Amino acid sequence: MAPVSPSSAPDRKIRPRWAWSPRRAAPNGSWKLSCQLFQGSNSGGAKPAVIFVHGGPPRQMLLGWHYMDYYSNAYAVNQYLAAHGFVVLSVNYRLGIGYGRAFNHPEHAGLAGAAEYQDVLAGGRFLQALPGVDPKRIGIWGGSYGGYLTAMALARNSDVFKAGVDLHGVHDWSRFLTRVLGNPEGRFEQGDRQQAMATAFASSPDADVAGWRSPVLLIQGDDDRNVPFQQTVDLARRLGDQHVAFEEMVIPNEIHGFLRHQSWFTADTATVRFLEEKLGATEK
């Protein structure tokens, strides 16, 4: 990814617009998902497309620069992708904020069932049907919780998502259960902890790695205090066992939200390079 000079950036900027991606009916009703669509000219034939999934997950992506530095950086990457041959859809999935309590607290989400992943898949289906998009060249990228959803997409639906970039994502929820529930009770009645453990694993990318076919770039700092570095190391070994094509970028002495500008530039450059190589964007 070559740096965009201040003089050239305004001419290449894509103005995103709101798009509403319908999701199939859920037990507590159906949802229309609020998304930001970055789409330039339709000239030059069908283009590759990318889903962006934010982290948090209690976040809301906007039409412009975000008030959080992490997502201002992501917005810049999305702008670059859109200006260089991609259509980009940023999905505000359930668990996010700004759409009411039921949206922010859906049933069976996260380690209790990963229900919110269906919103991401709906975004992929939306792009497949969008004029100007090549339905066979759709990718996905995101960081933190967005990294988790990226890995979920590739593990469960490599038929839809043909490549992805996963920055410091969670890959096995069961390893977080003690952090959520505390240590097991020292009593005879243990509740449904074992069932919760099984559900947490089933809600994780690791549980579906046998169906993972699409190439992925894994990026993480080795001093991550939010998501243990072991999560990426373990997934890489599982992918290797399945003969899945992957690249791994370890950023030394970096935490979850990178502290150094060079770390962000390195990760962003690698993200764009990987998506361009795997999905075949042609505009430079």
Side-chain angles (χ1 to χ4, degrees):
M1 181 175 80
V4 179
S5 69
S7 60
S8 65
D11 296 332
R12 302 300 301 274
K13 184 178 180 182
I14 304 298
R15 177 175 292 180
R17 68 178 190 271
W18 289 112
W20 298 92
S21 171
R23 200 188 68 79
R24 292 181 179 177
N28 57 345
S30 61
W31 298 96
K32 279 190 173 182
L33 302 173
S34 169
C35 308
Q36 300 84 51
L37 179 65
F38 301 71
Q39 187 173 24
S41 169
N42 285 332
S43 63
K47 298 180 179 181
V50 177
I51 291 277
F52 169 71
V53 271
H54 63 76
R59 306 282 186 267
Q60 181 187 39
M61 298 299 100
L62 309 169
L63 287 180
W65 297 99
H66 204 272
Y67 51 86
M68 293 179 64
D69 59 344
Y70 190 102
Y71 300 109
S72 281
N73 179 77
Y75 181 82
V77 173
N78 288 335
Q79 277 285 349
Y80 189 95
L81 289 169
H84 291 79
F86 286 89
V87 175
V88 181
L89 186 71
S90 175
V91 178
N92 283 326
Y93 55 88
R94 284 174 300 155
L95 287 176
I97 58 175
Y99 305 101
R101 190 181 189 283
F103 193 93
N104 186 210
H105 298 278
E107 295 181 355
H108 308 297
L111 54 74
E116 74 282 7
Y117 168 66
Q118 295 304 316
D119 303 346
V120 178
L121 179 58
R125 302 292 191 197
F126 173 86
L127 283 177
Q128 285 183 319
L130 189 68
V133 169
D134 183 347
K136 296 181 179 180
R137 290 191 292 161
I138 294 176
I140 184 168
W141 82 282
S144 195
Y145 208 93
Y148 157 67
L149 289 172
T150 293
M152 286 290 285
L154 299 174
R156 291 189 175 185
N157 289 104
S158 279
D159 58 323
V160 175
F161 301 101
K162 299 305 182 180
V165 180
D166 167 1
L167 286 85
H168 41 236
V170 172
H171 308 125
D172 181 0
W173 277 125
S174 68
R175 299 183 68 90
F176 286 75
L177 209 61
T178 297
R179 181 187 300 184
V180 175
L181 300 180
N183 293 318
E185 293 285 346
R187 53 183 290 180
F188 175 75
E189 293 177 318
Q190 294 296 311
D192 60 355
R193 189 184 188 93
Q194 288 304 310
Q195 181 59 48
M197 184 75 77
T199 300
F201 183 74
S203 305
S204 306
D206 281 358
D208 293 297
V209 75
W212 193 317
R213 296 290 180 268
S214 299
V216 63
L217 170 61
L218 306 173
I219 302 176
Q220 190 169 15
D222 65 1
D223 194 24
D224 196 320
R225 319 290 177 86
N226 297 56
V227 176
F229 182 60
Q230 175 270 343
Q231 291 272 318
T232 291
V233 174
D234 179 72
L235 177 62
R237 291 184 177 179
R238 292 173 187 267
L239 293 174
D241 289 343
Q242 293 292 325
H243 305 291
V244 175
F246 73 93
E247 296 181 24
E248 189 175 8
M249 173 179 286
V250 177
I251 303 182
N253 303 315
E254 268 293 7
I255 61 171
H256 194 67
F258 303 147
L259 295 175
R260 299 187 296 270
H261 172 270
Q262 184 59 49
S263 299
W264 279 117
F265 187 79
T266 299
D268 293 346
T269 300
T271 295
V272 171
R273 174 197 58 80
F274 189 84
L275 293 173
E276 286 180 338
E277 287 181 358
K278 302 305 179 184
L279 299 176
T282 57
E283 294 182 24
K284 300 294 182 182

